[in-house]
């Protein structure tokens, strides 16, 4: 007899015993009634209330048991409809790295920052213009006609500072791209553990449903034998329908987790079985070690620090902005009055008399102060979030160890001991099945603790990053936005 069959028989037996007790209590038989109905003497050794006495009368009043509820259509369709092979965590990670659109967006942001760095360091283009002075005066060609060449010479290493600033922002974008990769992989792994755990819970509920079906069959047999009431049959139908609903709920949860997981992977495919195990080597992550690692290696912190360096370079860049560039002009043409070719030269600079970029310099300095506060804010936020995640992780780890080392093995041994005792006629069958039910309930709780442990371990190891379908973040905070067409 299988374990789950024993569970079903225990449920049916318990329900029938309760119903039979209630029925007996509702219809007591007094001594006077026994005598009036059927006397006892030497020729009639059986008591009137014995099964041998009551069975003929039950047979005379036998009625058909209540029908078994039909199987819901959604339950008969099954959960896995695809014939594809089982998916592993490694195959899903590979799928996400190549198909998740947010990773492509993060790489595009790197290229965008690199493009700004290239553009900011380019030398300004020269200008070439045609100049004709006093053309048409007295019907002549004018005084002078020719071509004038102009070139702006950028001083004070402005181009180099602008390029350095945007290169530093590109490094920040690279850290944000790594941050996005952790977000995608962390979300995918957590979804995998949740879906895998739900897959195992579906298997448990399938076995529970089989037990409920066996319980219905057993109760009908007892009813036909006159050892169960119609109330017990109704109770068995209720347990059967509840088992079906529990299984359908587990299947619905599996489908939801599946579609969430496969969406993070950047794909669209029908549910497939997952290949993997929730159990593994249980090693405690030290909180202080995790906090030090988080504050020194987290992509969020590294991106914020790279942004601070860019802001400091920006202050230097805006400080030298008032230093005027030199504009050189050179022209060559024909002087029609002198009837000879001549040259012209010019030199121009902008005098920073009123506007020496004082407002932008103040803004850039404020961005540095704000970014230093941003780094501190990120550090404290990570510390707070780690405390929350670690509490859940540590509690789940304690439960996993207790269930893995003590609770589940002890429950299984208790069931096996009672099973052996039943085979030796030392305990009743309901005791065995009660122990068996307790064992499977503990197994289900163990699965939930494993999912919580795996999920939070993944989160802590992945710098607390999640949100695999969120758009990649830009510089935080955005900081100075140049008002000139050419980035600087």
């Amino acid at each position: 007899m299988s374990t789950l069959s024993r569970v079903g028989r225990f449920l049916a037996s318990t329900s029938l015993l309760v119903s039979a007790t209630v029925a007996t209590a509702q219809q007591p038989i007094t001594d006077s009634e026994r005598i009036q109905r059927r006397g006892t003497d030497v020729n009639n050794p059986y008591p009137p209330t014995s099964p041998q006495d009551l069975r003929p009368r039950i047979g005379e009043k036998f009625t058909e048991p209540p029908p078994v509820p039909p199987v819901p259509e959604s339950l008969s369709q099954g959960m896995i409809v695809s014939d594809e092979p089982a998916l592993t965590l490694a195959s899903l990670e590979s799928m996400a790295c190549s198909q998740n659109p947010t990773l492509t967006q993060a790489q595009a942001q790197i290229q965008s920052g690199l493009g700004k760095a290239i553009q900011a360091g380019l030398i300004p283009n020269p200008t070439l213009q045609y100049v004709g002075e006093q053309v048409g005066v007295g019907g002549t060609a004018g005084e002078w006609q020719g071509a004038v060449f102009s070139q702006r010479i950028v001083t004070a290493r402005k181009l180099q500072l602008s390029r350095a600033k945007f290169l530093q922002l590109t490094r920040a974008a690279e850290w944000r791209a790594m941050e996005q990769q952790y977000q995608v992989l962390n979300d995918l792994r957590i979804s995998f553990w949740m879906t895998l755990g739900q897959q195992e819970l579906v298997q448990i509920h399938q076995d529970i449903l089989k037990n409920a079906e066996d319980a219905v069959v057993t109760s009908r047999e007892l009813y036909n034998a006159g050892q169960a009431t119609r109330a017990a049959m109704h109770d068995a139908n209720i347990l059967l329908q509840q088992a079906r609903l529990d299984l359908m709920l587990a299947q619905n949860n599996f489908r939801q987790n599946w579609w969430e997981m496969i969406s993070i992977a950047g794909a669209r495919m029908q549910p497939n079985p997952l290949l993997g195990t929730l159990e593994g080597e249980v090693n405690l992550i030290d909180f202080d070690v995790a906090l030090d690692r988080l504050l020194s290696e987290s992509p969020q912190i590294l991106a914020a620090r790279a942004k601070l360096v860019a802001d400091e370079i920006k202050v230097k860049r805006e400080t030298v902005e008032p230093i005027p560039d030199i504009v050189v002009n050179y022209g060559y043409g024909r002087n029609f009055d002198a009837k000879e070719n001549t040259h012209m030269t010019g030199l121009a600079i902008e005098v920073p008399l009123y506007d020496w970029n004082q407002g932008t310099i103040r803004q850039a300095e404020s961005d540095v102060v704000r970014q230093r506060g941003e780094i501190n804010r990120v550090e404290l936020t990570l510390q707070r979030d780690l405390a929350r995640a670690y509490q859940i992780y540590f509690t789940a780890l304690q439960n996993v160890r207790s269930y893995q080392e003590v609770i589940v093995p002890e429950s299984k041994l208790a069931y096996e001991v009672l099973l052996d005792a039943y085979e030796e006629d030392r305990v009743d069958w309901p005791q065995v099945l009660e122990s068996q039910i307790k064992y499977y309930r503990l197994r289900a709780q163990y699965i939930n603790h494993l999912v919580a442990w795996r999920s939070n371990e993944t989160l802590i190891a992945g710098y607390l990053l999640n949100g695999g379908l969120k758009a990649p973040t830009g510089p935080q905070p955005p900081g100075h936005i140049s008002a000139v067409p050419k980035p600087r």
Side-chain angles (χ1 to χ4, degrees), residues 199-219:
Q199 178 177 280
E200 295 188 11
L201 290 176
V202 167
Q203 296 174 355
I204 292 178
H205 282 290
Q206 287 174 341
D207 293 334
I208 292 175
L209 177 58
K210 293 178 182 178
N211 289 339
E213 292 171 349
D214 292 342
V216 170
V217 174
T218 302
S219 63

Side-chain angles (χ1 to χ4, degrees), residues 70-135:
V71 179
E73 182 179 356
S74 58
L75 186 61
S76 61
Q77 292 176 353
M79 182 180 63
I80 304 296
V81 297
S82 176
D83 296 331
E84 298 295 328
L87 292 177
T88 62
L89 179 57
S91 62
L92 287 168
E93 289 175 344
S94 176
M95 191 183 303
C97 289
S98 61
Q99 299 183 26
N100 188 288
T102 63
L103 299 180
T104 304
Q105 290 176 323
Q107 292 298 321
Q109 287 191 166
I110 296 176
Q111 295 302 317
S112 176
L114 185 59
K116 288 182 179 180
I118 294 173
Q119 188 66 31
L122 295 178
I123 297 174
N125 291 325
T127 60
L128 183 63
Q129 58 180 337
Y130 175 78
V131 177
E133 296 180 354
Q134 298 182 357
V135 177

